[in-house]
């Protein structure tokens, strides 16, 4: 769903751009001097947050941002829209879709406001609805949005004992990335309905057939929260403070990221 929303937004931007193209040469007005771009309608009115909302509403009136706040770099607002993180300039003119990387801190950059927003949403998932692999003495806890089919998810789970030996507790929540109509979604509901969820998840990630079961499962709720915090690939790893650490990271690299050393790369996900 998040990809559909973003596609709709980008499509609206494209149509808006086409509608504003200059008329033919025969009727076109004289060009304005370079270096003096026309001001946007939003510029100079309201707050940067309201200008960002107004700018997005002008091109995609059916899409409402879930979060708008200061970006981790000056001049932009950070926006969470349809599960995607976007950046809109403070004057409401420019839009970017990219994951900024802090070269000084050597980790993906996110604002305190966005981290708090994610932290609250993730914390709303009850402990009893998670599948937890934890060591006796936990030093760090990560929440991992996962599915049973992706290669990097399986690779991460193959090393679950190594994460635990380093003091990292892994709390899995469901994100069947192919969506509610997929076999992946049905299989993950069966995993969460199993009497022994840890065993069922381990077997599914090992490629074994999933025994179909039905119950009132939290999979749909967890999938929705994943979209709302900006998950667009699995595994998606979040630290306790709401920082998204990226995708798959080997055990030592994940420990380094959790202890403030940053991650050399965002990790793998798909």
């Amino acid at each position: 769903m998040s990809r559909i929303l973003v596609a709709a937004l980008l499509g609206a931007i494209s149509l808006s751009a086409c509608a504003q193209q200059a008329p033919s040469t025969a009727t076109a007005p004289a060009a304005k001097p370079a270096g003096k771009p026309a001001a946007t309608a939003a510029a100079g009115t309201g707050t940067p947050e309201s200008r960002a909302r107004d700018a997005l509403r002008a091109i995609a009136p059916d899409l409402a941002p879930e979060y708008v706040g200061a970006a981790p770099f000056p001049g932009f607002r950070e926006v969470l829209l349809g599960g995607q993180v976007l950046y809109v300039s403070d004057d409401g003119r420019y839009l970017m879709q990219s994951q900024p990387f802090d070269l000084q801190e050597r980790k993906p950059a996110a604002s305190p406001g966005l981290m708090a927003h994610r932290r609250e949403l993730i914390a709303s998932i009850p402990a009893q609805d998670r599948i937890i692999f934890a060591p006796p003495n936990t030093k760090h806890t990560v929440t991992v949005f996962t599915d049973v089919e992706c290669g990097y998810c399986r690779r991460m789970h193959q090393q679950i004992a190594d994460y635990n030996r380093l003091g990292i507790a892994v709390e899995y929540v469901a994100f069947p990335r192919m969506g509610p109509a997929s076999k992946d979604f049905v299989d993950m509901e069966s995993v969460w309905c199993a009497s022994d969820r840890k065993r069922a998840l381990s077997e599914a990630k090992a490629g074994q057939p999933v025994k179909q079961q039905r119950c009132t499962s939290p999979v749909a709720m967890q999938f929705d929260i994943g979209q709302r915090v900006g998950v667009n690939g699995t595994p998606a790893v979040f630290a306790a403070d709401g920082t998204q650490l990226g995708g798959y990271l080997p055990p030592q690299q994940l420990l380094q990221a959790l202890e403030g050393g940053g991650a050399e790369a965002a990790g793998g996900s798909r």
Side-chain angles (χ1 to χ4, degrees):
M1 181 60 71
S2 64
R3 293 182 180 87
I4 295 173
L5 291 174
V6 172
L9 173 63
L10 297 180
I13 293 171
S14 176
L15 290 174
S16 175
C18 290
Q20 296 176 30
Q21 287 179 348
S24 65
T25 304
T27 59
K32 294 183 179 180
K36 294 183 179 180
T40 62
T45 61
T47 65
E49 284 79 7
S50 66
R51 286 195 288 272
R53 291 181 185 275
D54 290 345
L56 292 172
R57 189 181 301 115
I59 59 174
D62 295 332
L63 303 182
E66 179 159 329
Y67 168 84
V68 179
F73 46 87
F76 281 80
R77 298 298 99 182
E78 196 166 37
V79 179
L80 195 57
L81 178 70
Q84 298 292 316
V85 179
L86 307 172
Y87 296 93
V88 179
S89 59
D90 286 347
D91 62 3
R93 178 169 181 172
Y94 299 103
L95 180 145
M96 299 189 302
Q97 182 182 7
S98 180
Q99 171 63 63
F101 192 86
D102 190 324
L103 295 175
Q104 181 173 330
E105 298 294 331
R106 300 181 68 81
K107 64 181 182 181
S111 68
L114 180 59
M115 289 196 302
H117 177 77
R118 284 170 164 165
R119 184 169 63 246
E120 291 172 7
L121 282 173
I122 292 171
S124 70
I125 303 173
Q128 65 266 25
D129 289 341
R130 303 170 183 233
I131 300 179
I132 300 173
F133 291 80
N137 299 306
T138 297
K139 298 178 181 177
H140 304 283
T141 299
V142 294
T143 299
V144 180
F145 287 84
T146 191
D147 69 12
V148 295
E149 300 228 342
C150 83
Y152 282 113
C153 298
R154 293 183 174 186
R155 183 185 301 182
M156 183 172 191
H157 195 66
Q158 288 170 356
Q159 298 174 289
I160 198 69
D162 297 324
Y163 293 106
N164 287 171
R165 273 193 289 271
L166 293 174
I168 302 172
V170 176
E171 300 190 353
Y172 285 121
V173 294
F175 193 83
R177 68 193 191 285
M178 299 306 292
S182 66
K183 180 180 182 299
D184 191 22
F185 192 98
V186 173
D187 285 346
M188 295 197 73
E189 282 196 318
S190 296
V191 166
W192 256 259
C193 289
S195 57
D196 186 343
R197 290 175 174 175
K198 293 174 69 174
R199 178 176 179 179
L201 183 66
S202 295
E203 290 177 349
K205 285 178 177 286
Q208 297 182 28
V210 177
K211 181 181 178 182
Q212 299 301 301
Q213 302 189 54
R214 290 292 179 267
C215 68
T216 302
S217 84
V219 170
M221 178 268 290
Q222 293 178 7
F223 180 72
D224 176 66
I225 289 178
Q227 290 187 306
R228 292 169 64 192
V229 299
V231 175
N232 53 25
T234 51
V237 183
F238 291 84
D241 66 355
T243 301
Q244 184 169 8
L245 299 174
Y248 163 78
L249 289 173
Q252 276 299 151
Q253 288 188 29
L254 180 56
L255 180 64
Q256 180 185 1
L258 289 166
E259 295 189 340
E264 290 300 321
S269 62
R270 66 186 179 120

